[in-house]
Amino acid sequence: MKKNYTIIGMLLLFAGTIQAQKSQIKSAEKEVNSGNPQDALIILKSIEYQVYNSKDEEKALFYYVQGNALLGLANKNVDEGKNLTLAAQSFQEINKVESESGKTNFYGQAKSTFKSLKEKLIKNAVSNSLQKKHIESATMFYEAYLLDQKDTINLYNTACAFVNGKDFISALKHYETLKSLNFSGIGNYYYAVNKATNIEERFLKMYDRDNSVSSGTHEKPRNVIGVSKRGEIYKNIALIYFQNGDKLKAKNAILDARNKNPEDNSLALAEAELCLESKDYVTYKKLVGTISKNNPNDLDLLFNLGILSTKANNTIEAENFYLKAIAIAPKDTKSYVNLSILKLESVKPINEDMDKLGTSPVEMKKYDLLKSKKEEIYKSTIPYLKKVIEIDPNDIETSQSLLSVYNALEMTTEYNELKAKLS
C-alpha cells in the first residue's frame, strides 16, 4: 500500500511540474505581448531543460513564444541577424513537433509572421553579402529557404554565398539539392518597393505583388525574366569535384546534366569552361565550334562565348564573338564594353616590353614601334567607348575609360570636351 502512495505522490509531483512549466510559458508570452522580449527569454531559459520531456502541446507553445520573443528582439535591432536566425529555427521546431503529433495549434499562427521574417532574413543576407560576410549571408538565405521551400531561389543564393565564402563543401551540398530539384532559375520574378522600408521586395506571384501595389504598401513594380542557372550550378558542382581531385565525378556531373537538359546552352558553356580548367583544349575548341554553329543568332550565348574565349587567351576569337553579338543587338552596350576591355588589356604586355628596353639606337627604334602599336590599339577602342556613351550617357565608368584613352593619345581637345560634359 505504501508503494502505491509513493507512485501517486510522484504522479502528483510530475503533474505539478507540468502545470508550473505551462504557467511559466504563459508568463513569458505575457512579457512578449507587453513588449519585453528579453524578460520572456529569461523565463523560457529557466525551463528550457524541461521542455524536451514535455507534451507536444507544451513544446509547440514553448517554441512559439520563444520564436516571437526572438523576433521581438530582432525588431528592436538587438543582434538582429542572430535573433532572426534563431527565431526562424524556433518556428521550424513548431512545425517539426506538430507534424509528428498531427496537431497544428501553433504552426498556423506562426505562419502569419513567416512573410515578414523571411523578408528580414533576406534583407540581412543581402546586407551581409555586401559586407563580404558570406557565411553569415548563406546561413540567412538558408533559413529563409526553410521557411518557404517553394521559393527555391533562396537555396540557390545559399549555395552561391557559400562559394563566395570559400566553404565549398557546404556549397556542394546545396548545389546537389538544387540538382535533385531540377532547379533552373528560369521563370518570372515580380518585384516592388516597400514604401515603409524603401527596400525592393520579391514576390512569388504577380497577383500578390499587384495587390500590394494596389493597397498602397508598395510601389515601382517591375518584372524580371530569370535566365537558366543550370549551367552555373552544374559547372560549380563539377569544379568543386575537380578541385577535390575527383576528375571522373566532375566530368560525369556535366555529362549527366547535358543528357537530362540537351537544349540548355548554359550547360554546353559549362562543359567548355570545365575543359578550360582541366586544360583539355582539344575538346574545348570542338565544343565552342559546335555551340556557335548551332546558335548563330543567340545574343547571350555569343556574349558568353566571348568571355570564355577571353579566358582561353584567344583574343581574336573573343573579338569575333563580340562583333557578332553587336551585329545582332547594336544597342546592347555590354559587348562594346567587353570588346574595349579586351583591346585595352592587350596593351599591358606592350608596356612591359617597353619598360625593359634601354636607350641604344636599336632599342629606341623598337620602343617607337611598340609605342606606335600601343597607340593604334588605343585608337581602335575609341569607337566602341563612344558608342556606349552614345547609348547610355550616364555610364560614368565608360566615360572615365575614354578620358584615359584621350589622355594617353594626347587628344587634348577631345579630352577637355568630354571632361566638361562630366563636370
Side-chain angles (χ1 to χ4, degrees):
M1 192 70 177
K2 187 177 180 181
K3 185 177 180 181
N4 288 339
Y5 282 135
T6 302
I7 294 170
I8 291 169
M10 288 175 66
L11 289 172
L12 288 171
L13 180 64
F14 183 64
T17 302
I18 292 172
Q19 195 59 39
Q21 178 182 303
K22 192 169 184 177
S23 175
Q24 290 283 76
I25 298 173
K26 287 292 184 183
S27 295
E29 188 173 27
K30 285 180 182 178
E31 293 293 345
V32 171
N33 294 335
S34 300
N36 304 313
Q38 187 65 65
D39 293 338
L41 288 171
I42 291 170
I43 295 170
L44 294 174
K45 187 69 177 175
S46 68
I47 58 170
E48 187 176 25
Y49 70 97
Q50 298 172 356
V51 171
Y52 303 110
N53 297 317
S54 301
K55 292 182 179 178
D56 290 331
E57 187 177 349
E58 272 74 44
K59 281 184 185 177
L61 176 60
F62 176 90
Y63 290 121
Y64 177 72
V65 176
Q66 185 184 64
N68 282 315
L70 290 162
L71 187 55
L73 279 182
N75 289 337
K76 291 186 175 187
N77 294 319
V78 178
D79 285 336
E80 185 180 13
K82 176 184 175 184
N83 284 316
L84 283 173
T85 302
L86 292 173
Q89 291 170 357
S90 291
F91 289 135
Q92 287 155 26
E93 283 297 323
I94 302 171
N95 185 34
K96 181 181 176 183
V97 169
E98 294 193 337
S99 293
E100 291 174 355
S101 67
K103 298 177 181 178
T104 54
N105 295 334
F106 298 102
Y107 188 68
Q109 297 177 53
K111 282 191 80 171
S112 64
T113 65
F114 279 13
K115 185 175 184 294
S116 63
L117 177 55
K118 175 185 163 186
E119 288 169 357
K120 289 176 187 291
L121 283 164
I122 293 170
K123 175 188 168 186
N124 275 266
V126 172
S127 176
N128 278 322
S129 179
L130 293 172
Q131 297 173 56
K132 309 297 183 186
K133 297 177 181 177
H134 299 299
I135 302 302
E136 292 89 338
S137 176
T139 301
M140 290 190 176
F141 272 128
Y142 188 60
E143 292 299 336
Y145 164 70
L146 291 177
L147 284 174
D148 182 5
Q149 295 188 29
K150 291 181 181 178
D151 196 0
T152 44
I153 194 71
N154 288 318
L155 183 59
Y156 167 78
N157 288 335
T158 300
C160 292
F162 274 124
V163 166
N164 292 334
K166 311 298 182 188
D167 184 349
F168 299 115
I169 300 302
S170 296
L172 180 61
K173 169 188 164 187
H174 296 301
Y175 278 136
E176 290 286 9
T177 303
L178 288 165
K179 178 182 172 182
S180 69
L181 295 171
N182 201 28
F183 171 84
S184 71
I186 298 173
N188 295 311
Y189 296 90
Y190 311 103
Y191 295 88
V193 175
N194 186 317
K195 289 182 180 179
T197 62
N198 202 33
I199 294 171
E200 188 175 61
E201 296 172 357
R202 181 169 50 82
F203 294 77
L204 286 179
K205 298 178 181 177
M206 183 167 64
Y207 174 81
D208 293 334
R209 191 274 312 276
D210 291 348
N211 271 352
S212 296
V213 172
S214 298
S215 66
T217 59
H218 291 70
E219 61 181 355
K220 299 176 183 176
R222 70 183 182 98
N223 299 342
V224 175
I225 299 174
V227 297
S228 176
K229 294 178 173 61
R230 281 201 186 104
E232 178 194 340
I233 291 166
Y234 285 95
K235 178 192 75 178
N236 285 349
I237 288 173
L239 287 176
I240 292 170
Y241 281 134
F242 185 77
Q243 287 170 3
N244 290 340
D246 200 331
K247 294 181 181 179
L248 182 60
K249 274 191 176 181
K251 185 178 180 181
N252 288 340
I254 291 290
L255 291 176
D256 179 50
R258 291 203 66 189
N259 288 334
K260 289 178 181 176
N261 306 277
E263 302 303 317
D264 195 329
N265 288 323
S266 66
L267 293 171
L269 285 170
E271 185 178 2
E273 190 160 355
L274 181 64
C275 289
L276 268 185
E277 291 288 334
S278 58
K279 295 182 172 53
D280 183 358
Y281 299 115
V282 174
T283 307
Y284 163 79
K285 191 74 178 174
K286 182 180 176 183
L287 279 168
V288 168
T290 303
I291 296 166
S292 58
K293 183 181 177 181
N294 293 341
N295 305 274
N297 298 312
D298 189 321
L299 175 64
D300 290 329
L301 194 61
L302 288 168
F303 179 76
N304 286 322
L305 284 170
I307 294 173
L308 208 54
S309 297
T310 302
K311 286 184 178 180
N313 293 319
N314 194 333
T315 54
I316 295 173
E317 188 177 72
E319 184 175 347
N320 287 334
F321 283 128
Y322 288 134
L323 289 172
K324 286 179 182 177
I326 287 169
I328 294 169
K331 291 190 177 181
D332 187 19
T333 60
K334 62 180 184 287
S335 291
Y336 293 108
V337 170
N338 276 24
L339 193 49
S340 62
I341 291 171
L342 182 71
K343 289 180 174 294
L344 290 171
E345 285 291 317
S346 67
V347 169
K348 288 181 179 179
I350 296 175
N351 282 332
E352 290 171 3
D353 288 342
M354 289 171 71
D355 290 340
K356 294 174 186 176
L357 295 172
T359 57
S360 69
V362 174
E363 288 176 304
M364 289 303 295
K365 187 176 181 180
K366 189 174 182 182
Y367 181 93
D368 289 338
L369 287 171
L370 288 172
K371 184 183 177 184
S372 178
K373 184 179 179 182
K374 183 173 73 170
E375 287 175 349
E376 287 303 312
I377 293 171
Y378 277 136
K379 288 176 184 176
S380 71
T381 67
I382 293 175
Y384 303 122
L385 294 171
K386 288 178 73 173
K387 190 66 179 178
V388 173
I389 297 167
E390 178 190 319
I391 297 167
D392 182 8
N394 296 318
D395 190 332
I396 304 300
E397 191 174 343
T398 300
S399 294
Q400 293 293 345
S401 295
L402 184 54
L403 276 176
S404 298
V405 170
Y406 284 153
N407 188 51
L409 293 171
E410 298 179 357
M411 296 173 67
T412 309
T413 303
E414 291 82 354
Y415 179 91
N416 289 335
E417 286 177 359
L418 181 56
K419 187 75 174 174
K421 288 180 182 178
L422 295 174
S423 299

